[in-house]
Amino acid sequence: RSESYVTLALLDAANDRDPVVQEQVRKSILTLGNQQPDKVLSMCQDYLLKHPKLVVGHRVVILQTIELVVKSRIDDISYPKIKSVIQLASDEMTKSKEVVPEWQQAASNILVAVGNKYINDIMEEILHKFQPGVLPHFFVVQTLANLSDSNVYGMVPFLNAIMGTMLPMLGMTKQDNMKWVFSSALCHFSESILEYLANLDKAPDPTVRKDTFSSEIYSAYDILFNSWIQSRESKLRLTVAEALGSMSHLMAHDKLEEQLPKLLPTILGLYKKNSEHYIISKSLCQILEASVNMGSRVLETQIDGLLVALHQQICSPMDFSNPPTVKNHNEVLRCFTILANTFPDRLMVFVLQRLENSNERNRMGSLAVLRHLINSSTSIMETKRLLILASIRQPLADHSNKVKKRVVQVISAMAHHGYLELEGGDLLVRFIIQHCALPDNYHRPPDPEEVTNEALRSMCDNTLHLFTTTVGRLTDVLWPMLLCYLTPNQYANATTPLCKSLILLANKKQTAQEPNFIIDFNAQGSFLYRCIGVILQQCYNKELVRKQLQEILISTRHNDAIERTGVAMGIGLCASSHLDGTLEKLEEFGKSDAFRKASGIFGLLKDKNEVDVEKMKSTLILCYGYVALHAPEDKLLTRIDSDILHNISKNFNTKCVFASLYMCLCVCILIHSVGLIAKAISKSVRKQGYLFSRKQELMGVMMDFIKAEPTDVMRTPVRYLVLTTCANLINLDPPLTENENFDLLKTCLNGVYGLPTVDTPDKAKDEEALDPQQREVLYSDTFTALHELLRNVLARDLSPDGLQSVFKHIESWLSSGQDHERERAVKTTAELLQFYLDNLRVKNLVIFHNLGALVGRLAPRCTDPNPEVRRAAIDCVYRLMYIQLRYEGFSLDYKDDSVEGLLDVREKLSNPDHSVLYKTCSELTKIISKRLPQQQLSTLLFMLYDGLVDSQSNCSRASSVILNTLLKNRGAGLQDLVPEMLEVLHNRLQVIGEEQVKMAIGQSILILATQHLQTVVNTLVAYPLPYDSWSCEMWIALGADSTLALQIMEMIIEKLNVMVPYVDKKESMLRPGLTKVATSQPLAMTCALREMMLSGQSADAVAYLFPKLFSALLVRLGSSVGVQLPKDLNNICVSLCCVLRVAVEALRILLGRAQLDTVMKPLDQEGAWDKMKDPQQHTTGVTLLSRAMAKHAGPRLPAIVESLCPSLCNIYECQRITVTAFFSELLNHHVVTELMILDMLMNNMMERITDTCGTVRMLAVRGLGNIAVGSPEKVNKYAKELLAAMSSGMEENDDPGKLITLEAMSGMSKILLYLDQKNVHLLENDEIRCASIMLLGNLSKFGSGEPVFKDQIHNVLVSLLLHLSDPNPQVVKACKYAMRICAPVIGSEQISAMFQNHLLEEKGLHHGEFINDLTKYLVRSKSFLYYKNTHRITPAVPILFLFPQHSSFVFSIFNCK
């Protein structure tokens, strides 16, 4: 009973605010529950039932207590109590329809705990609340999920039915929380099924198979993948992804294979949508595993995207304080392992290529993958060991401690799997030892992720110890190799770990009594000398030191290079503690008898002695170099000139006449020694200022050495030594002058870049030639030294100007015709840019003014035929972009998404397919365009213009692609540069042979024109005439875009219509009159139109603008008649640029482009084009053109006529003449009536009747007369106007050639043929009769000798006689005048005399008597026969027909006998 009170009290106290008290309450009730489980559980249940309104926190503590008791004493609780607990927990879990996580989770946990033993009872209860067609409570589904985890064997038999009920619910679910719980449940169900299937031997039903669930799983997959994974809710997306990963193992193989091309990209896409990546990587790993297990073929098509995405993940920083990032890292590595088992070759190429990546994190990620693969995929990596060893060399030279740390981890993995025993393994050991000797950091790095020198050194110490103690197979690799690292000065800091390892190794060897424990030091002379040096270094007895030095120098075999080097190094080591004594001993040795040449009778003996002496001197020179290197920094600088360089110069024989082999030896040793001295000085001056006065002198000597080397082969280390020495000298003050710096870089680069490839056979004698391995090492060392020199030069001026001063020597090599030369140049540039970026410290905002120039030179190389050049070039651009970002103020660790995109571009550039390269090149340009400052754009563009003539067609095409992409994206702001850019493009066209690049230049011009149309047109128009072929190509390019061509043509037409076509100039002071001289702009624009229309793509624009173009060119044609070229063009062949010829050609091309072949054919046949060019026949040519247009291009005429009409009012006669001639002929054709333009044409012709130009008036009269031919049915409609016009023409006073009059007469005769009777009254006009008669008289002056005219006079004589009695005195006067003038034509002297005497204007006339007398003369005259036989009146002059009242006279005359 007391226990009940205690329990009840505890239950009351369970709601204490202090969580410590709550925990203690739970423990106390659990203690009681362990003793009497049923009783305590009953009290808990009763308490909850009696207090239905308990706060949630109180209920949770009691429920948690029940769970603890159940878990603890499940086997001791009675079955009825179990049933009641199940009921209680179920009710508590679902009492509230709203989700109250803490409360309902506590109840759910009770069900899960009970379900571990009583699964059937639990399922019976839960399935009551999991009915088909009704969405269950959130925690019902959650409980099912948790049960499948806690009791796999109990739950899996229920899952098929559960999923069958669940599937319809998925489609009904709208709320994200329910989608989440269903997805989570499916994930748990799938994992339980997989566990069940993996342990069938323990399962209650071993007949269960995977395909039992495949159908339900796929149906669920369909909803999750096609709908839920697109949710905006990040948590739901991740849970769905997790479920899909688990479900993939249970999907039918064919279904999974079908879904992979969609499933994998979707999962990969989640990386960008979610900040939490672990779940995604886990799901991806499961999908890959399922795909590989079923032998998927589709997976191979997805491998590229997978590798890129996984690599990005592995490169993400791992935060050990954030477990999900660590888990993600491990899952990604698992993915790589799965892929390695299926696609080992592709994976290795992918990973190893990225070891060369310019991004630090990329390199680190690649090394992490490599380490993992070495450890996890031993059998697969077995065949890749040599490839990995070769590729790991690149990261060995990395400057980043973070990367080096990863390299050490990779080396450690390689050591355990036998890599270090292979050829090249010694380099990895050396790397570890080098970093055991790292100095401390002078400044602590600000980056918390940075690896300090101390940390890296400690890691390498531990790794070396690990090699020695745990990797037994390395014993023979490390012994005696480690001994060689004890004496070199650069490994001095590694002495302690080296000695520890050597002791351990020696003990192992000695204990095992291995034969190679004993080392033959006869072959290790160099090593022993260095050991002696180290010992003397620690010796304080100066006399002993002097004796030992003497012994060393005397006993040395100076002809043995290894021993010579060992002696020099040993003496140098000794000098670090005994500088004065060592220098004295060396000087003393140099003066000793050993250096005196023996004289002999035979020259051969003498030569031999001289050779020996020179070798001794070489040893001495080398000793001085090592003495300087190891001398105490505070004492060295005072000894350089007087004691070291002075003695070196005494011992080097500049007039050496020995064979080249000995000369080379002396030179190499001298160079090496000077390099050591420079290195020593540079170390000393860190703490004190110093001007090395002999720097320029020594640099000059070095340059002479490198210039003396053959340019076509490298057999000696002279270049390497010179470059190393110069790299050390360049660090010293005083700095080189600009000219000295220029000569240095030019000499060194030319001396190295121009060398043939390392595998080029050496044609020298066998004893002179190097073996391939030696040559490869020498080449590698030489280029490493060159890069070190360039870095040191750059470090002296780490600024944009300093970078440019180095790069200008490299850039000419970038476009070399030799692959290897371009590769060397671009790789050097990549190294320099990385150095610049690593060492850049931006204190003030500086403009990276040469960014555009550098990008312009390097970007086209991204499509170089050589893949190595392509990769290095993209690295260069990547680094340049980050340098720019640093100058913009971004931090060192800032990552720009667009610049990072270059890494993807780099991978795509490995594909040699041209289409891929240029597409990728366009992507590259978009990135450059986004990051490049506007002020850098112009420089970049002009560099790209240079790239258009690159020696490699790939690169010239790339330049054009980059150029055009930049112009599209950024060209709008370059208006001021357009003329200059067009001029450069014009120049480039003259030297480009690549057709594709020419087309690209055309595209460039088009792009500029779309952005700066007016400027482009004005610039090109201003080019000198006649246009050269390249200017023509530029205009033709503008015609290639129909929309642009339309705009340009409209612009030109508009300007042609308003511009002055020519000016009148006085040709000479001596000659009277003015000359028409063409103005340049309209002439140029006509030429431009001509060229643009030559482009086939301009057809649409021409078709649209044809009426305006035709009109403008016709008017231009008229403006060109009789016009001369400007004086500046007079010396050019007229045939090239004749003013009239240009207009004619443009018109002809227009007709051709408009496909009016039927118009052109008659023009060609009738020579119309030549007539148009001839000023004398110009109107005839225009008439032929008009006729052809009327016959074959009628529908085009209305718009043409409308466009031409305004030109009839122009001030220029020549234009009005041409247009009037064109219109005049149009009226000769009925088509104008059909097209309803007759009225327009006639009105314009009527207006021209009064034109100031006689030719225009004549053509207007002709045109009006032509109406009778072209549209005779319209004559009577316009009878009044036509007759008036003809009458006016016949009365023309300003008509010297009577051309207007003749046209008027001819027109009148045509008109009268179709004049109706109702319009005859229009002819009863005294003025018309008077004018006609006067005209006849005047015409006789010109045609008196012509038979035709005589016939006309005979025809009208009767009419003239009758009009002598006309009521109008003016008509009578006109008749008298005409008859008197025409009298000689009649052919009778008597009649002529009669006319002259009686027909005077002011004298009266007796008409009857005159007629009688005249009739008598006529009867006697032969001419009478004509009149007698006349049976008709010719229609030529029907204007003089008698009217009815005079007809009696006519008959009386003709009846006269």
Side-chain angles (χ1 to χ4, degrees), residues 82-83 85-87 89-90 108 110-128 143-144 147 155 158:
I82 288 292
K83 292 289 284 183
V85 167
I86 291 173
Q87 189 62 52
S90 177
S108 173
I110 294 171
L111 294 173
V112 173
V114 174
N116 286 329
K117 183 173 181 181
Y118 298 99
I119 188 66
N120 292 335
D121 296 281
I122 291 291
M123 293 308 299
E124 182 182 354
E125 173 62 29
I126 290 184
L127 292 179
H128 280 307
T143 303
L144 289 171
L147 278 168
M155 271 296 288
F158 290 100

Side-chain angles (χ1 to χ4, degrees), residues 911-948:
N911 190 331
D913 182 76
H914 289 298
S915 60
V916 175
L917 283 180
Y918 298 128
K919 183 181 177 183
T920 309
C921 195
S922 184
E923 293 176 21
L924 162 70
T925 313
K926 289 174 184 174
I927 295 169
I928 293 172
S929 175
K930 185 175 180 181
R931 290 301 336 158
L932 192 80
Q934 183 67 24
Q935 65 267 29
Q936 296 287 316
L937 185 58
S938 58
T939 312
L940 171 56
L941 291 175
F942 285 108
M943 287 297 170
L944 291 170
Y945 291 139
D946 290 344
L948 295 174

